[in-house]
Amino acid sequence: MAVNFTNNWKNILDKLESILETEFKGALPVYKGKDIPKGVNQAIQLIPTGTVLTDYSAISETREFSITLRYVFAEANVNERALDHILRQISRIEALIHDNMKMDLATGNAFNCRFESTDLNTDEESGAHITEWDWKCQHQGNLN
């Protein structure tokens, strides 16, 4: 017997990508997965990392989805002006996520959307500045 299902990962990633692309209007490209094309100076990556079952019943389940969101600024020698730009982008992304605590999806909605942590690092090999957030949301699915 075939299973009826909804690809909740795709729905959540597509909506998060849409929110980011709408805000930055092409000035900051968004990529799903681990690869950013060579020559791209700055970008956002969305990397799905896992789910946790938080509530389960005969009529539905609620899962918490986790996505690593990375802002990559690929300049090795960052002066004060570039650092100001990086910090401005970080603050803008954090405010955008806060303003989208609920997202209407193709089927249902995601709620309690938030950043749980933020790490600022420099990639030792390339010198790129990488800000990494642990983004989470909840979604109720498999409704009967």
Side-chain angles (χ1 to χ4, degrees):
M1 178 167 109
V3 172
N4 289 328
F5 73 97
T6 300
N7 187 344
N8 294 316
W9 276 111
K10 180 179 181 346
N11 290 337
I12 291 169
L13 284 165
D14 285 352
K15 183 62 176 190
L16 187 55
E17 178 183 33
S18 173
I19 288 168
L20 290 160
E21 286 179 341
T22 298
E23 175 67 20
F24 290 100
K25 298 176 178 58
L28 188 57
V30 179
Y31 299 96
K32 292 181 215 163
K34 294 198 181 222
D35 294 326
I36 293 177
K38 290 193 186 303
V40 174
N41 185 34
Q42 63 177 344
I44 293 176
Q45 291 175 280
L46 303 176
I47 305 165
T49 54
T51 66
V52 174
L53 182 65
T54 60
D55 187 45
Y56 185 76
S57 72
I59 61 170
S60 70
E61 68 179 26
T62 302
R63 291 192 168 274
E64 184 167 78
F65 287 76
S66 297
I67 296 173
T68 297
L69 192 147
R70 286 186 184 150
Y71 167 63
V72 178
F73 187 82
E75 294 292 322
N77 297 315
V78 173
N79 59 26
E80 186 176 343
R81 185 172 169 218
L83 181 60
D84 183 52
H85 170 78
I86 292 167
L87 296 175
R88 222 176 26 255
Q89 294 289 56
I90 291 169
S91 295
R92 185 175 177 186
I93 293 166
E94 289 174 340
L96 180 64
I97 294 303
H98 180 268
D99 289 350
N100 286 279
M101 292 171 40
K102 180 181 176 201
M103 302 184 318
D104 294 325
L105 305 175
T107 58
N109 61 55
F111 55 95
N112 196 18
C113 303
R114 70 216 180 266
F115 283 142
E116 289 219 337
S117 64
T118 306
D119 292 312
L120 283 72
N121 296 301
T122 302
D123 181 64
E124 291 181 21
E125 190 175 304
S126 69
H129 288 264
I130 300 171
T131 302
E132 190 169 282
W133 293 273
D134 183 20
W135 182 89
K136 294 183 183 287
C137 76
Q138 292 177 301
H139 179 270
Q140 187 176 39
N142 292 327
L143 302 171
N144 289 331

